[in-house]
Amino acid sequence: MPAQVPIFDPGDGSGGSSSPYFLLNPNRFSDNLSWNANQEMPLPNNLLLNLQYYLVSNPSISFDIHYMQPVVPWLGLIGPSVNANSITVAGGFIKNLTIQLSTGISDFPNGVYEAEIVFQASAKYMNNISVYDISSYYVTLTISNNDSASIKVDKLQYNVFFNRSANTLSGETLVSILNNTTPIQLKFLAENFATKNNLTDTFNIENFGIEDNLSLPAQGNVNILGGLFKADNSRIANVNINLAIGLNSDIFVDKNSLTFNINKATPQTANDSIYITNPESKTFEITVPDWLTITVFNGMNSSGFIKLTTVSSANISGGVHTGNVVITYENKIITIPVVLTVVSFSSFQVTTKFCLDIPEIFFNRMNVTARLVRVTISARYNLAGVETIKENVYAQPYVNEKALFRISDKIHSQFPRYKSDLFSIENDFELMKNAIIDLKFEELDFNYAVLMTETISNLKFFPGKEPAGNPLLSNFLYRKKNKKSVFFNSKIEGESIIVEKVEITDNIDELAYGNNIVKYYELPRNYNSIDLQFENENLAPEWFTFTGEYKITTEFSHTYAKNIFKAQNEKFDSTKTKMLTLNSGFFIKQELYLVEKLVESKLAFIKINEKVYRCFSITQKLIIDDSTEELIDRDLEFLIVEQ
C-alpha cells in the first residue's frame, strides 16, 4: 500500500484549487564541490528561491543545516534576505541566496562531506499556522591533497602521574605522530610541560614546572590540552593529557562524571572508559548500576582503563536513568555520578484518564533522512450503547531535530454527543464508555517512506478535563435545590459515565462521590420550578434548578412584496421562532460560573410544567459582578428548537 500523503496539522486538507498554499520553488536542488587543498577554495553556486503563496497571511521561511558526518559546521547561508535561521519573505518573490564555505574546512582530512539545507515554509490561514512546504538543498564537498589535516597522535588521551615527593613523571609519556608522511616539522606545546621543536615521528612528554605551579592541586586529576603546531603556529592535532598528581598513596580517576546516550530506533549500546592511576598497585573494587557492565583491562590492582558499557536500548525504558560508579580501596571511596539518557522516538507519559489533560507528545528525529512524523489516531467511542470507530491521520515536520504534537483536542472533538433529554430515563443510565485509543507514530522521509514505527495501544480516556468533583463530572460542589428539583449527577464508574437521576430530593442535603461531597442548599422561598439539563465541558449532563419567572414568546418574520399588476402588497410566506425568557431566581454567587457554562453550552433541555423544551442559550450579556446587588439572579434567553 503506498504511503499516505498527510494533512499538515492544522491545515484544511482539501487539496482543491481554492485551497491556501505557500510553495518554495528552488532553481536547483544540489551542488557538488571539489577542493584541492593546494588551490583556492571553490565558489558554490547561487540558489534562487521562487515564492508562491495564496490565501495565507504572515508567511515565513526558516531553514536548518544538517551535516551527514560528525564534523564542525562548514556551511553557511547568506544574502540580503537572510536573518539568522530565517529568510525574510517581504521584498519580492525571488530570494537570491549564497552558499558560503567555512575556512575551517582547511582542517578537514581528505574525504567526501555532505550537508543538507532544509527550508520550511509556514503561514497562517483561518487563525491556524501551518507548514505548507519543505524543500531541501544538498551540498557535497570532496577534499583532496590536504595531508596535514590527516596528521594525528597515537592516543586520544595520555595518562601520566606526577609524584610530588620525587618530582617525576611516569605513565604514558611517549607520543607517536601518525600520518606525517611528507614529513612536516612540528612543535609540541602544553602548559606545565616542556616545549618540543622539530618533531616528525615521536617525542616524550616532560615536566616543566609542575611542582612550582600553585594553581595545580596538591593531589587529584587535571586535564591539560596540548597540541602539535605547524611553523605558522596553526594547530593540526590535539595532545590531551590526563595529569594525576599525588604522593603515591591514592588512586586517581580521570573523570568526575559519565554521560551515556542511546536511542531506541534500533537496539544499541554505548560505552565509555575511565582511566585509573594506581601508583602503588592497591587492590580496588568497582560497583556500577544494573544497566552498566564493566571490562577491566589491566586487573584490579594496577593502572589502566576500565570500559563501561550500557545495556541494549531494547532492554531499558526510555527516559533518564541515574546512578553511580563506585571505586573502593582500603577505607576510601571514589564516587563517579553517571547519567544514561535513553532517547525514544516518542516521549509520551500519560497519567490522566481525561483527554484534554493529555500532555503534548515530543518526537526525536531518529534517522538522518527523516523529515516528518505521521500520527494515526484510531479511536472507538461508545455512546448509549452505540459504538463508533474513527481514524484520523496527521503529520508534523521536524524542527531542530524535534517535533511536537497534541492529540488531546483531536480526541475530545471526536467524541459523539448525546442530544436527547434525560428527564425520562431510568436512574443509573450509562451515558458513554471511555474512548479506547490506539496510536501509531511513523517517521517519514520526503517521499513519505516509513523509516520506523512505534505503536501505543488500548489507551482509555474520558472527554474533557479532570473536574473538581472527580469522580463526579462537575466543578460545582455547592448546588441549589427546591422541593421539586431533579438532580442529574454524572459520575465515573469503572470505564463508564453513569447518569444518576435523583427525583425525590426533599431530604437530601449532601451526597458523597469518592473523596468529594456535594452539598445542596434550599432557599426559603420557591416560585415556579424549572429544571434545566445542559452539556458541560466533559460532554456529560449538568443541571440547574430555576425558581424564577418565565415567558415564552413567538417571533414572526414575514416575506411580502408589492404586486406590480395590482399595485398593492402581497404576503408570500412567514416563519416563526419561539423564544424562552426566564429569570433564574436567586442563587449563591459561586453558582454564577455554573450559569456561565450553561450560556456557553451548545444544547440544553428545560422542563417546565412537565413539558420538555429542547433549546440553546442566546444570552448576549451575563453580569459577572455587581457591587450593588445583594441577592443574585439573572435573566436568560433561549431559542426553542423543539418541544
mmCIF file of all heavy atoms in Angstrom, residues 310-336:
data_model
loop_
_atom_site.group_PDB
_atom_site.id
_atom_site.type_symbol
_atom_site.label_atom_id
_atom_site.label_comp_id
_atom_site.label_asym_id
_atom_site.label_seq_id
_atom_site.Cartn_x
_atom_site.Cartn_y
_atom_site.Cartn_z
ATOM 1 N N THR A 310 26.721 0.223 28.358
ATOM 2 C CA THR A 310 25.315 0.211 28.759
ATOM 3 C C THR A 310 24.638 -1.069 28.274
ATOM 4 O O THR A 310 25.127 -1.750 27.373
ATOM 5 C CB THR A 310 24.555 1.409 28.161
ATOM 6 O OG1 THR A 310 24.456 1.248 26.748
ATOM 7 C CG2 THR A 310 25.263 2.709 28.473
ATOM 8 N N VAL A 311 23.501 -1.376 28.867
ATOM 9 C CA VAL A 311 22.663 -2.450 28.332
ATOM 10 C C VAL A 311 22.097 -2.000 26.992
ATOM 11 O O VAL A 311 22.154 -0.819 26.634
ATOM 12 C CB VAL A 311 21.515 -2.796 29.302
ATOM 13 C CG1 VAL A 311 22.049 -3.293 30.621
ATOM 14 C CG2 VAL A 311 20.593 -1.591 29.500
ATOM 15 N N SER A 312 21.541 -2.917 26.240
ATOM 16 C CA SER A 312 20.929 -2.579 24.960
ATOM 17 C C SER A 312 19.711 -1.692 25.186
ATOM 18 O O SER A 312 18.951 -1.861 26.153
ATOM 19 C CB SER A 312 20.519 -3.851 24.224
ATOM 20 O OG SER A 312 19.729 -3.536 23.097
ATOM 21 N N SER A 313 19.517 -0.753 24.274
ATOM 22 C CA SER A 313 18.347 0.124 24.373
ATOM 23 C C SER A 313 17.040 -0.654 24.272
ATOM 24 O O SER A 313 15.988 -0.163 24.674
ATOM 25 C CB SER A 313 18.403 1.195 23.280
ATOM 26 O OG SER A 313 18.488 0.601 22.000
ATOM 27 N N ALA A 314 17.108 -1.880 23.732
ATOM 28 C CA ALA A 314 15.897 -2.702 23.643
ATOM 29 C C ALA A 314 15.464 -3.218 25.012
ATOM 30 O O ALA A 314 14.319 -3.644 25.175
ATOM 31 C CB ALA A 314 16.140 -3.885 22.701
ATOM 32 N N ASN A 315 16.367 -3.163 26.000
ATOM 33 C CA ASN A 315 16.085 -3.762 27.311
ATOM 34 C C ASN A 315 15.951 -2.742 28.423
ATOM 35 O O ASN A 315 16.047 -3.095 29.600
ATOM 36 C CB ASN A 315 17.196 -4.754 27.666
ATOM 37 C CG ASN A 315 17.299 -5.891 26.673
ATOM 38 O OD1 ASN A 315 16.294 -6.363 26.150
ATOM 39 N ND2 ASN A 315 18.518 -6.318 26.384
ATOM 40 N N ILE A 316 15.733 -1.478 28.070
ATOM 41 C CA ILE A 316 15.590 -0.454 29.099
ATOM 42 C C ILE A 316 14.579 0.572 28.610
ATOM 43 O O ILE A 316 14.464 0.823 27.407
ATOM 44 C CB ILE A 316 16.962 0.204 29.426
ATOM 45 C CG1 ILE A 316 16.860 1.089 30.666
ATOM 46 C CG2 ILE A 316 17.515 0.972 28.232
ATOM 47 C CD1 ILE A 316 18.216 1.528 31.201
ATOM 48 N N SER A 317 13.839 1.137 29.527
ATOM 49 C CA SER A 317 12.787 2.081 29.156
ATOM 50 C C SER A 317 13.383 3.418 28.751
ATOM 51 O O SER A 317 14.491 3.788 29.155
ATOM 52 C CB SER A 317 11.825 2.277 30.336
ATOM 53 O OG SER A 317 12.509 2.813 31.453
ATOM 54 N N GLY A 318 12.631 4.141 27.928
ATOM 55 C CA GLY A 318 13.065 5.475 27.535
ATOM 56 C C GLY A 318 13.049 6.422 28.719
ATOM 57 O O GLY A 318 12.310 6.244 29.685
ATOM 58 N N GLY A 319 13.898 7.430 28.665
ATOM 59 C CA GLY A 319 13.972 8.416 29.741
ATOM 60 C C GLY A 319 15.383 8.562 30.266
ATOM 61 O O GLY A 319 16.358 8.106 29.668
ATOM 62 N N VAL A 320 15.492 9.196 31.430
ATOM 63 C CA VAL A 320 16.791 9.474 32.048
ATOM 64 C C VAL A 320 16.981 8.557 33.247
ATOM 65 O O VAL A 320 16.126 8.486 34.140
ATOM 66 C CB VAL A 320 16.899 10.948 32.483
ATOM 67 C CG1 VAL A 320 18.236 11.209 33.159
ATOM 68 C CG2 VAL A 320 16.727 11.869 31.281
ATOM 69 N N HIS A 321 18.099 7.847 33.274
ATOM 70 C CA HIS A 321 18.444 6.943 34.365
ATOM 71 C C HIS A 321 19.736 7.444 35.014
ATOM 72 O O HIS A 321 20.682 7.818 34.312
ATOM 73 C CB HIS A 321 18.637 5.520 33.843
ATOM 74 C CG HIS A 321 17.468 4.991 33.068
ATOM 75 N ND1 HIS A 321 16.482 4.223 33.631
ATOM 76 C CD2 HIS A 321 17.115 5.152 31.756
ATOM 77 C CE1 HIS A 321 15.581 3.917 32.711
ATOM 78 N NE2 HIS A 321 15.945 4.473 31.563
ATOM 79 N N THR A 322 19.780 7.445 36.331
ATOM 80 C CA THR A 322 20.954 7.954 37.036
ATOM 81 C C THR A 322 21.484 6.906 38.007
ATOM 82 O O THR A 322 20.750 6.008 38.450
ATOM 83 C CB THR A 322 20.625 9.242 37.818
ATOM 84 O OG1 THR A 322 19.587 8.964 38.775
ATOM 85 C CG2 THR A 322 20.160 10.340 36.876
ATOM 86 N N GLY A 323 22.747 7.030 38.338
ATOM 87 C CA GLY A 323 23.386 6.112 39.284
ATOM 88 C C GLY A 323 24.810 6.565 39.560
ATOM 89 O O GLY A 323 25.196 7.700 39.232
ATOM 90 N N ASN A 324 25.610 5.676 40.151
ATOM 91 C CA ASN A 324 26.997 5.993 40.492
ATOM 92 C C ASN A 324 27.908 4.818 40.158
ATOM 93 O O ASN A 324 27.520 3.650 40.334
ATOM 94 C CB ASN A 324 27.150 6.317 41.987
ATOM 95 C CG ASN A 324 26.454 7.602 42.383
ATOM 96 O OD1 ASN A 324 26.733 8.655 41.828
ATOM 97 N ND2 ASN A 324 25.544 7.508 43.338
ATOM 98 N N VAL A 325 29.092 5.148 39.659
ATOM 99 C CA VAL A 325 30.183 4.178 39.601
ATOM 100 C C VAL A 325 31.005 4.406 40.867
ATOM 101 O O VAL A 325 31.485 5.516 41.113
ATOM 102 C CB VAL A 325 31.045 4.383 38.342
ATOM 103 C CG1 VAL A 325 32.252 3.450 38.373
ATOM 104 C CG2 VAL A 325 30.215 4.152 37.084
ATOM 105 N N VAL A 326 31.147 3.357 41.669
ATOM 106 C CA VAL A 326 31.818 3.498 42.973
ATOM 107 C C VAL A 326 33.071 2.632 42.992
ATOM 108 O O VAL A 326 33.010 1.416 42.764
ATOM 109 C CB VAL A 326 30.872 3.100 44.129
ATOM 110 C CG1 VAL A 326 31.595 3.241 45.471
ATOM 111 C CG2 VAL A 326 29.610 3.967 44.101
ATOM 112 N N ILE A 327 34.211 3.269 43.252
ATOM 113 C CA ILE A 327 35.500 2.573 43.366
ATOM 114 C C ILE A 327 35.918 2.615 44.832
ATOM 115 O O ILE A 327 35.997 3.692 45.434
ATOM 116 C CB ILE A 327 36.574 3.252 42.490
ATOM 117 C CG1 ILE A 327 36.118 3.265 41.020
ATOM 118 C CG2 ILE A 327 37.913 2.555 42.633
ATOM 119 C CD1 ILE A 327 36.988 4.117 40.125
ATOM 120 N N THR A 328 36.152 1.436 45.405
ATOM 121 C CA THR A 328 36.553 1.361 46.820
ATOM 122 C C THR A 328 37.919 0.690 46.934
ATOM 123 O O THR A 328 38.223 -0.264 46.205
ATOM 124 C CB THR A 328 35.514 0.574 47.641
ATOM 125 O OG1 THR A 328 35.360 -0.734 47.076
ATOM 126 C CG2 THR A 328 34.159 1.269 47.635
ATOM 127 N N TYR A 329 38.744 1.210 47.810
ATOM 128 C CA TYR A 329 40.044 0.599 48.123
ATOM 129 C C TYR A 329 40.408 1.019 49.535
ATOM 130 O O TYR A 329 40.142 2.140 49.966
ATOM 131 C CB TYR A 329 41.115 1.037 47.118
ATOM 132 C CG TYR A 329 41.461 2.506 47.157
ATOM 133 C CD1 TYR A 329 42.598 2.956 47.823
ATOM 134 C CD2 TYR A 329 40.650 3.446 46.530
ATOM 135 C CE1 TYR A 329 42.914 4.304 47.856
ATOM 136 C CE2 TYR A 329 40.960 4.785 46.553
ATOM 137 C CZ TYR A 329 42.096 5.220 47.216
ATOM 138 O OH TYR A 329 42.415 6.554 47.263
ATOM 139 N N GLU A 330 41.019 0.040 50.275
ATOM 140 C CA GLU A 330 41.321 0.256 51.691
ATOM 141 C C GLU A 330 40.067 0.814 52.368
ATOM 142 O O GLU A 330 39.019 0.207 52.322
ATOM 143 C CB GLU A 330 42.555 1.160 51.821
ATOM 144 C CG GLU A 330 43.819 0.527 51.244
ATOM 145 C CD GLU A 330 45.036 1.424 51.312
ATOM 146 O OE1 GLU A 330 44.887 2.645 51.484
ATOM 147 O OE2 GLU A 330 46.160 0.897 51.170
ATOM 148 N N ASN A 331 40.149 1.995 52.962
ATOM 149 C CA ASN A 331 38.949 2.568 53.596
ATOM 150 C C ASN A 331 38.479 3.821 52.858
ATOM 151 O O ASN A 331 37.827 4.689 53.433
ATOM 152 C CB ASN A 331 39.236 2.906 55.060
ATOM 153 C CG ASN A 331 40.363 3.922 55.198
ATOM 154 O OD1 ASN A 331 41.085 4.168 54.230
ATOM 155 N ND2 ASN A 331 40.523 4.499 56.376
ATOM 156 N N LYS A 332 38.775 3.889 51.560
ATOM 157 C CA LYS A 332 38.465 5.088 50.792
ATOM 158 C C LYS A 332 37.486 4.748 49.660
ATOM 159 O O LYS A 332 37.429 3.616 49.186
ATOM 160 C CB LYS A 332 39.741 5.717 50.228
ATOM 161 C CG LYS A 332 40.718 6.151 51.331
ATOM 162 C CD LYS A 332 41.990 6.740 50.745
ATOM 163 C CE LYS A 332 42.954 7.153 51.857
ATOM 164 N NZ LYS A 332 44.221 7.708 51.325
ATOM 165 N N ILE A 333 36.740 5.794 49.245
ATOM 166 C CA ILE A 333 35.711 5.629 48.211
ATOM 167 C C ILE A 333 35.846 6.754 47.180
ATOM 168 O O ILE A 333 36.009 7.920 47.536
ATOM 169 C CB ILE A 333 34.286 5.661 48.818
ATOM 170 C CG1 ILE A 333 34.079 4.504 49.788
ATOM 171 C CG2 ILE A 333 33.228 5.624 47.718
ATOM 172 C CD1 ILE A 333 32.731 4.544 50.484
ATOM 173 N N ILE A 334 35.771 6.380 45.915
ATOM 174 C CA ILE A 334 35.670 7.351 44.823
ATOM 175 C C ILE A 334 34.304 7.138 44.163
ATOM 176 O O ILE A 334 33.980 6.030 43.738
ATOM 177 C CB ILE A 334 36.785 7.155 43.780
ATOM 178 C CG1 ILE A 334 38.168 7.335 44.425
ATOM 179 C CG2 ILE A 334 36.623 8.137 42.624
ATOM 180 C CD1 ILE A 334 39.310 6.987 43.501
ATOM 181 N N THR A 335 33.510 8.206 44.087
ATOM 182 C CA THR A 335 32.159 8.124 43.513
ATOM 183 C C THR A 335 32.101 8.955 42.233
ATOM 184 O O THR A 335 32.442 10.136 42.236
ATOM 185 C CB THR A 335 31.101 8.631 44.502
ATOM 186 O OG1 THR A 335 31.169 7.842 45.692
ATOM 187 C CG2 THR A 335 29.704 8.523 43.907
ATOM 188 N N ILE A 336 31.664 8.309 41.154
ATOM 189 C CA ILE A 336 31.534 8.989 39.861
ATOM 190 C C ILE A 336 30.060 8.935 39.458
ATOM 191 O O ILE A 336 29.552 7.867 39.105
ATOM 192 C CB ILE A 336 32.398 8.313 38.784
ATOM 193 C CG1 ILE A 336 33.860 8.224 39.235
ATOM 194 C CG2 ILE A 336 32.299 9.064 37.460
ATOM 195 C CD1 ILE A 336 34.731 7.399 38.305
#
